[in-house]
PDB file of all heavy atoms in Angstrom:
ATOM      1  N   ILE A  13     -42.207  90.769 140.606  1.00  0.00           N
ATOM      2  CA  ILE A  13     -42.690  91.774 139.620  1.00  0.00           C
ATOM      3  C   ILE A  13     -42.465  93.127 140.344  1.00  0.00           C
ATOM      4  O   ILE A  13     -41.987  94.138 139.680  1.00  0.00           O
ATOM      5  CB  ILE A  13     -44.135  91.496 139.255  1.00  0.00           C
ATOM      6  CG1 ILE A  13     -44.329  90.120 138.516  1.00  0.00           C
ATOM      7  CG2 ILE A  13     -44.672  92.623 138.266  1.00  0.00           C
ATOM      8  CD1 ILE A  13     -43.630  89.919 137.139  1.00  0.00           C
ATOM      9  N   PHE A  14     -43.085  93.088 141.463  1.00  0.00           N
ATOM     10  CA  PHE A  14     -43.058  94.451 142.254  1.00  0.00           C
ATOM     11  C   PHE A  14     -41.522  94.962 142.471  1.00  0.00           C
ATOM     12  O   PHE A  14     -41.339  96.139 142.237  1.00  0.00           O
ATOM     13  CB  PHE A  14     -43.625  94.110 143.688  1.00  0.00           C
ATOM     14  CG  PHE A  14     -43.645  95.384 144.593  1.00  0.00           C
ATOM     15  CD1 PHE A  14     -44.545  96.524 144.403  1.00  0.00           C
ATOM     16  CD2 PHE A  14     -42.700  95.561 145.505  1.00  0.00           C
ATOM     17  CE1 PHE A  14     -44.446  97.533 145.214  1.00  0.00           C
ATOM     18  CE2 PHE A  14     -42.620  96.716 146.424  1.00  0.00           C
ATOM     19  CZ  PHE A  14     -43.569  97.661 146.239  1.00  0.00           C
ATOM     20  N   LYS A  15     -40.751  94.103 142.792  1.00  0.00           N
ATOM     21  CA  LYS A  15     -39.270  94.482 143.048  1.00  0.00           C
ATOM     22  C   LYS A  15     -38.515  95.004 141.816  1.00  0.00           C
ATOM     23  O   LYS A  15     -37.805  95.830 141.837  1.00  0.00           O
ATOM     24  CB  LYS A  15     -38.534  93.247 143.708  1.00  0.00           C
ATOM     25  CG  LYS A  15     -37.166  93.652 144.215  1.00  0.00           C
ATOM     26  CD  LYS A  15     -36.470  92.375 145.010  1.00  0.00           C
ATOM     27  CE  LYS A  15     -36.342  91.105 144.015  1.00  0.00           C
ATOM     28  NZ  LYS A  15     -35.780  90.020 144.718  1.00  0.00           N
ATOM     29  N   GLU A  16     -38.987  94.410 140.722  1.00  0.00           N
ATOM     30  CA  GLU A  16     -38.258  94.696 139.381  1.00  0.00           C
ATOM     31  C   GLU A  16     -38.804  95.834 138.597  1.00  0.00           C
ATOM     32  O   GLU A  16     -38.426  96.267 137.605  1.00  0.00           O
ATOM     33  CB  GLU A  16     -38.151  93.491 138.485  1.00  0.00           C
ATOM     34  CG  GLU A  16     -37.345  92.297 139.042  1.00  0.00           C
ATOM     35  CD  GLU A  16     -37.348  91.016 138.245  1.00  0.00           C
ATOM     36  OE1 GLU A  16     -38.100  90.959 137.264  1.00  0.00           O
ATOM     37  OE2 GLU A  16     -36.675  90.106 138.475  1.00  0.00           O
ATOM     38  N   MET A  17     -39.980  96.387 139.233  1.00  0.00           N
ATOM     39  CA  MET A  17     -40.652  97.576 138.568  1.00  0.00           C
ATOM     40  C   MET A  17     -39.741  98.744 138.588  1.00  0.00           C
ATOM     41  O   MET A  17     -39.445  99.156 139.646  1.00  0.00           O
ATOM     42  CB  MET A  17     -42.007  97.821 139.054  1.00  0.00           C
ATOM     43  CG  MET A  17     -43.081  96.810 138.846  1.00  0.00           C
ATOM     44  SD  MET A  17     -44.622  96.960 139.785  1.00  0.00           S
ATOM     45  CE  MET A  17     -45.341  98.564 138.840  1.00  0.00           C
ATOM     46  N   PRO A  18     -39.446  99.341 137.390  1.00  0.00           N
ATOM     47  CA  PRO A  18     -38.570 100.654 137.403  1.00  0.00           C
ATOM     48  C   PRO A  18     -39.395 101.747 138.121  1.00  0.00           C
ATOM     49  O   PRO A  18     -38.699 102.695 138.540  1.00  0.00           O
ATOM     50  CB  PRO A  18     -38.357 100.930 135.886  1.00  0.00           C
ATOM     51  CG  PRO A  18     -39.396 100.262 135.309  1.00  0.00           C
ATOM     52  CD  PRO A  18     -39.877  99.040 136.138  1.00  0.00           C
ATOM     53  N   GLU A  19     -40.718 101.740 137.994  1.00  0.00           N
ATOM     54  CA  GLU A  19     -41.552 102.965 138.486  1.00  0.00           C
ATOM     55  C   GLU A  19     -42.694 102.228 139.222  1.00  0.00           C
ATOM     56  O   GLU A  19     -43.309 101.215 138.771  1.00  0.00           O
ATOM     57  CB  GLU A  19     -41.996 103.764 137.337  1.00  0.00           C
ATOM     58  CG  GLU A  19     -42.811 104.936 137.784  1.00  0.00           C
ATOM     59  CD  GLU A  19     -43.553 105.447 136.695  1.00  0.00           C
ATOM     60  OE1 GLU A  19     -43.320 105.120 135.529  1.00  0.00           O
ATOM     61  OE2 GLU A  19     -44.510 106.415 136.830  1.00  0.00           O
ATOM     62  N   ARG A  20     -42.991 102.758 140.483  1.00  0.00           N
ATOM     63  CA  ARG A  20     -44.097 102.271 141.236  1.00  0.00           C
ATOM     64  C   ARG A  20     -44.955 103.564 141.636  1.00  0.00           C
ATOM     65  O   ARG A  20     -44.538 104.605 141.840  1.00  0.00           O
ATOM     66  CB  ARG A  20     -43.724 101.560 142.498  1.00  0.00           C
ATOM     67  CG  ARG A  20     -42.685 100.376 142.327  1.00  0.00           C
ATOM     68  CD  ARG A  20     -42.545  99.795 143.601  1.00  0.00           C
ATOM     69  NE  ARG A  20     -41.318  98.802 143.487  1.00  0.00           N
ATOM     70  CZ  ARG A  20     -40.193  98.950 144.129  1.00  0.00           C
ATOM     71  NH1 ARG A  20     -39.947  99.894 144.945  1.00  0.00           N
ATOM     72  NH2 ARG A  20     -39.187  98.041 143.913  1.00  0.00           N
ATOM     73  N   ASN A  21     -46.310 103.253 141.619  1.00  0.00           N
ATOM     74  CA  ASN A  21     -47.185 104.225 142.160  1.00  0.00           C
ATOM     75  C   ASN A  21     -47.984 103.707 143.346  1.00  0.00           C
ATOM     76  O   ASN A  21     -47.610 102.444 143.683  1.00  0.00           O
ATOM     77  CB  ASN A  21     -48.243 104.768 141.202  1.00  0.00           C
ATOM     78  CG  ASN A  21     -49.068 103.768 140.538  1.00  0.00           C
ATOM     79  OD1 ASN A  21     -49.017 102.524 141.005  1.00  0.00           O
ATOM     80  ND2 ASN A  21     -49.902 103.963 139.489  1.00  0.00           N
ATOM     81  N   ILE A  22     -48.791 104.324 143.959  1.00  0.00           N
ATOM     82  CA  ILE A  22     -49.521 103.947 145.207  1.00  0.00           C
ATOM     83  C   ILE A  22     -50.273 102.588 144.821  1.00  0.00           C
ATOM     84  O   ILE A  22     -50.495 101.735 145.676  1.00  0.00           O
ATOM     85  CB  ILE A  22     -50.459 105.047 145.788  1.00  0.00           C
ATOM     86  CG1 ILE A  22     -50.871 104.598 147.138  1.00  0.00           C
ATOM     87  CG2 ILE A  22     -51.514 105.384 144.761  1.00  0.00           C
ATOM     88  CD1 ILE A  22     -49.932 104.239 148.145  1.00  0.00           C
ATOM     89  N   VAL A  23     -50.816 102.436 143.737  1.00  0.00           N
ATOM     90  CA  VAL A  23     -51.531 101.164 143.249  1.00  0.00           C
ATOM     91  C   VAL A  23     -50.608 100.015 143.404  1.00  0.00           C
ATOM     92  O   VAL A  23     -51.062  99.022 143.838  1.00  0.00           O
ATOM     93  CB  VAL A  23     -52.005 101.488 141.823  1.00  0.00           C
ATOM     94  CG1 VAL A  23     -52.804 100.069 141.421  1.00  0.00           C
ATOM     95  CG2 VAL A  23     -53.116 102.605 141.806  1.00  0.00           C
ATOM     96  N   SER A  24     -49.425 100.241 142.893  1.00  0.00           N
ATOM     97  CA  SER A  24     -48.330  99.200 142.981  1.00  0.00           C
ATOM     98  C   SER A  24     -48.185  98.770 144.372  1.00  0.00           C
ATOM     99  O   SER A  24     -48.075  97.467 144.750  1.00  0.00           O
ATOM    100  CB  SER A  24     -46.966  99.578 142.398  1.00  0.00           C
ATOM    101  OG  SER A  24     -47.173 100.258 141.183  1.00  0.00           O
ATOM    102  N   TRP A  25     -47.902  99.642 145.345  1.00  0.00           N
ATOM    103  CA  TRP A  25     -47.793  99.352 146.758  1.00  0.00           C
ATOM    104  C   TRP A  25     -48.909  98.720 147.349  1.00  0.00           C
ATOM    105  O   TRP A  25     -48.854  97.745 148.171  1.00  0.00           O
ATOM    106  CB  TRP A  25     -47.310 100.655 147.527  1.00  0.00           C
ATOM    107  CG  TRP A  25     -46.044 101.149 147.242  1.00  0.00           C
ATOM    108  CD1 TRP A  25     -45.622 102.102 146.295  1.00  0.00           C
ATOM    109  CD2 TRP A  25     -44.788 100.874 147.871  1.00  0.00           C
ATOM    110  NE1 TRP A  25     -44.303 102.328 146.311  1.00  0.00           N
ATOM    111  CE2 TRP A  25     -43.709 101.606 147.313  1.00  0.00           C
ATOM    112  CE3 TRP A  25     -44.575  99.817 148.860  1.00  0.00           C
ATOM    113  CZ2 TRP A  25     -42.406 101.347 147.674  1.00  0.00           C
ATOM    114  CZ3 TRP A  25     -43.109  99.762 149.276  1.00  0.00           C
ATOM    115  CH2 TRP A  25     -42.056 100.453 148.644  1.00  0.00           C
ATOM    116  N   ASN A  26     -50.084  99.236 147.100  1.00  0.00           N
ATOM    117  CA  ASN A  26     -51.369  98.746 147.593  1.00  0.00           C
ATOM    118  C   ASN A  26     -51.612  97.275 147.067  1.00  0.00           C
ATOM    119  O   ASN A  26     -52.058  96.369 147.900  1.00  0.00           O
ATOM    120  CB  ASN A  26     -52.602  99.673 147.433  1.00  0.00           C
ATOM    121  CG  ASN A  26     -52.629 100.879 148.232  1.00  0.00           C
ATOM    122  OD1 ASN A  26     -51.999 100.886 149.358  1.00  0.00           O
ATOM    123  ND2 ASN A  26     -53.227 101.930 147.763  1.00  0.00           N
ATOM    124  N   SER A  27     -51.246  97.023 145.853  1.00  0.00           N
ATOM    125  CA  SER A  27     -51.495  95.694 145.265  1.00  0.00           C
ATOM    126  C   SER A  27     -50.649  94.756 145.931  1.00  0.00           C
ATOM    127  O   SER A  27     -51.093  93.568 146.280  1.00  0.00           O
ATOM    128  CB  SER A  27     -51.240  95.737 143.687  1.00  0.00           C
ATOM    129  OG  SER A  27     -52.100  96.499 143.010  1.00  0.00           O
ATOM    130  N   MET A  28     -49.297  95.116 146.167  1.00  0.00           N
ATOM    131  CA  MET A  28     -48.500  94.137 146.858  1.00  0.00           C
ATOM    132  C   MET A  28     -48.889  93.881 148.289  1.00  0.00           C
ATOM    133  O   MET A  28     -48.866  92.704 148.675  1.00  0.00           O
ATOM    134  CB  MET A  28     -46.990  94.730 146.805  1.00  0.00           C
ATOM    135  CG  MET A  28     -45.868  93.716 147.118  1.00  0.00           C
ATOM    136  SD  MET A  28     -45.892  92.353 145.918  1.00  0.00           S
ATOM    137  CE  MET A  28     -46.193  90.982 147.107  1.00  0.00           C
ATOM    138  N   LEU A  29     -49.375  95.031 148.945  1.00  0.00           N
ATOM    139  CA  LEU A  29     -49.797  94.808 150.285  1.00  0.00           C
ATOM    140  C   LEU A  29     -51.028  93.834 150.373  1.00  0.00           C
ATOM    141  O   LEU A  29     -51.060  93.040 151.163  1.00  0.00           O
ATOM    142  CB  LEU A  29     -50.236  96.173 150.868  1.00  0.00           C
ATOM    143  CG  LEU A  29     -50.139  96.447 152.402  1.00  0.00           C
ATOM    144  CD1 LEU A  29     -48.853  96.159 152.983  1.00  0.00           C
ATOM    145  CD2 LEU A  29     -50.472  97.894 152.637  1.00  0.00           C
ATOM    146  N   SER A  30     -51.999  94.066 149.476  1.00  0.00           N
ATOM    147  CA  SER A  30     -53.107  93.182 149.324  1.00  0.00           C
ATOM    148  C   SER A  30     -52.719  91.753 149.039  1.00  0.00           C
ATOM    149  O   SER A  30     -53.397  90.846 149.444  1.00  0.00           O
ATOM    150  CB  SER A  30     -54.200  93.670 148.134  1.00  0.00           C
ATOM    151  OG  SER A  30     -54.478  95.027 148.466  1.00  0.00           O
ATOM    152  N   THR A  31     -51.750  91.599 148.207  1.00  0.00           N
ATOM    153  CA  THR A  31     -51.241  90.251 147.908  1.00  0.00           C
ATOM    154  C   THR A  31     -50.807  89.515 149.194  1.00  0.00           C
ATOM    155  O   THR A  31     -51.276  88.320 149.361  1.00  0.00           O
ATOM    156  CB  THR A  31     -50.025  90.262 146.999  1.00  0.00           C
ATOM    157  OG1 THR A  31     -50.340  90.969 145.654  1.00  0.00           O
ATOM    158  CG2 THR A  31     -49.353  88.871 146.594  1.00  0.00           C
ATOM    159  N   TYR A  32     -50.000  90.174 150.026  1.00  0.00           N
ATOM    160  CA  TYR A  32     -49.573  89.491 151.210  1.00  0.00           C
ATOM    161  C   TYR A  32     -50.805  89.194 152.150  1.00  0.00           C
ATOM    162  O   TYR A  32     -50.831  88.266 152.825  1.00  0.00           O
ATOM    163  CB  TYR A  32     -48.459  90.393 151.889  1.00  0.00           C
ATOM    164  CG  TYR A  32     -47.258  90.345 151.261  1.00  0.00           C
ATOM    165  CD1 TYR A  32     -46.424  91.399 151.151  1.00  0.00           C
ATOM    166  CD2 TYR A  32     -46.608  89.177 150.925  1.00  0.00           C
ATOM    167  CE1 TYR A  32     -45.119  91.426 150.662  1.00  0.00           C
ATOM    168  CE2 TYR A  32     -45.377  89.032 150.382  1.00  0.00           C
ATOM    169  CZ  TYR A  32     -44.637  90.206 150.207  1.00  0.00           C
ATOM    170  OH  TYR A  32     -43.335  90.076 149.633  1.00  0.00           O
ATOM    171  N   VAL A  33     -51.717  90.219 152.240  1.00  0.00           N
ATOM    172  CA  VAL A  33     -52.829  90.050 153.215  1.00  0.00           C
ATOM    173  C   VAL A  33     -53.760  88.904 152.637  1.00  0.00           C
ATOM    174  O   VAL A  33     -54.168  88.032 153.361  1.00  0.00           O
ATOM    175  CB  VAL A  33     -53.659  91.281 153.161  1.00  0.00           C
ATOM    176  CG1 VAL A  33     -54.960  91.076 154.008  1.00  0.00           C
ATOM    177  CG2 VAL A  33     -52.950  92.438 153.957  1.00  0.00           C
ATOM    178  N   LEU A  34     -54.006  88.893 151.380  1.00  0.00           N
ATOM    179  CA  LEU A  34     -54.875  87.857 150.675  1.00  0.00           C
ATOM    180  C   LEU A  34     -54.257  86.544 150.846  1.00  0.00           C
ATOM    181  O   LEU A  34     -54.949  85.497 151.030  1.00  0.00           O
ATOM    182  CB  LEU A  34     -55.003  88.141 149.168  1.00  0.00           C
ATOM    183  CG  LEU A  34     -55.988  87.121 148.365  1.00  0.00           C
ATOM    184  CD1 LEU A  34     -57.369  87.349 148.862  1.00  0.00           C
ATOM    185  CD2 LEU A  34     -55.885  87.516 146.909  1.00  0.00           C
ATOM    186  N   ASN A  35     -52.942  86.361 150.700  1.00  0.00           N
ATOM    187  CA  ASN A  35     -52.218  85.135 150.898  1.00  0.00           C
ATOM    188  C   ASN A  35     -51.664  84.708 152.358  1.00  0.00           C
ATOM    189  O   ASN A  35     -50.997  83.945 152.538  1.00  0.00           O
ATOM    190  CB  ASN A  35     -51.049  85.005 149.933  1.00  0.00           C
ATOM    191  CG  ASN A  35     -51.474  84.989 148.567  1.00  0.00           C
ATOM    192  OD1 ASN A  35     -51.774  83.911 147.920  1.00  0.00           O
ATOM    193  ND2 ASN A  35     -51.597  86.134 147.850  1.00  0.00           N
ATOM    194  N   GLU A  36     -52.321  85.599 153.276  1.00  0.00           N
ATOM    195  CA  GLU A  36     -51.978  85.315 154.672  1.00  0.00           C
ATOM    196  C   GLU A  36     -50.477  85.469 155.085  1.00  0.00           C
ATOM    197  O   GLU A  36     -50.109  84.647 155.910  1.00  0.00           O
ATOM    198  CB  GLU A  36     -52.684  84.048 155.157  1.00  0.00           C
ATOM    199  CG  GLU A  36     -54.205  84.020 155.030  1.00  0.00           C
ATOM    200  CD  GLU A  36     -54.780  82.854 155.531  1.00  0.00           C
ATOM    201  OE1 GLU A  36     -54.011  81.783 155.893  1.00  0.00           O
ATOM    202  OE2 GLU A  36     -56.033  82.672 155.590  1.00  0.00           O
TER     203      GLU A  36
END
């Protein structure tokens, strides 16, 4: 989803970062 988003804001980046952290 993140990769295919035409527009990203800081919330998008932080959400993806949190995803990786949460899923170890």
